[in-house]
Amino acid sequence: MGEKETPGGLVLIEELINTVDLESGEDRLAGAVGLAALAERAGVALTADDRAGVVALREGLREACRAHTGPAMREGSAKALTEAFARAPLALRVDGATGDTALVPAPGLRGAAALAARVAALVAVAEAEGTWRRLKVCEADTCRWAYYDHSPAGHRRWCSMRICGSRAKMRAYRERARRQPG
């Protein structure tokens, strides 16, 4: 049985967070190809000069999604993410044919600021739809993979019960067994 898909614009945020594999250390944003792939996916132009800002945005989003599983964001993370979004204003675009509206990056934004604005618009829509808090980061310190929690109660803690969940439960079992007398 396969995983259900992440809804709407949250896919881009999930993909951004998952550009680094903490277990292997592979960071797709470390090279030009990975940065270009993200830029194309997000519909913004990014250069090597934007890399630090994109990585900071990624890690701020990782912290926010980690907080969705329970622990508070690490010191300074919320402020840094808030500041990144403040440097990335949004505009409301109105479609003249239909009257439909969309949040879009403000005119003239480039690079990491344009990506931050695109992400901020997606977060705002997801918050309004009630889906933002279900985008989470795996509780396992060696993983921290982003995933969308489709569980009925919304209390999933690991990206995969088969891997990270099983490892955590096995560690807890061994710890309990070690503490038992006898």
Side-chain angles (χ1 to χ4, degrees), residues 163-178:
I163 300 169
C164 292
S166 292
R167 289 176 185 168
K169 288 182 179 234
M170 184 55 73
R171 276 191 299 275
Y173 169 78
R174 288 180 182 149
E175 181 61 27
R176 282 191 309 274
R178 186 185 64 78

Side-chain angles (χ1 to χ4, degrees), residues 11 14 29 36 42 80 82 89 100 103 116 132 142 161 167-168 170 180:
V11 171
E14 182 180 72
L29 296 181
T82 299
D100 292 344
L103 281 172
W132 170 238
T142 57
M161 192 58 215
R167 289 176 185 168
M170 184 55 73
Q180 287 181 351

Side-chain angles (χ1 to χ4, degrees), residues 139-162:
E139 190 173 279
D141 287 329
T142 57
C143 182
R144 299 286 186 229
W145 200 252
Y147 64 93
Y148 188 81
D149 183 355
H150 288 279
S151 69
H155 295 301
R156 199 168 129 194
R157 297 168 49 195
W158 299 288
C159 62
S160 165
M161 192 58 215
R162 291 184 318 273

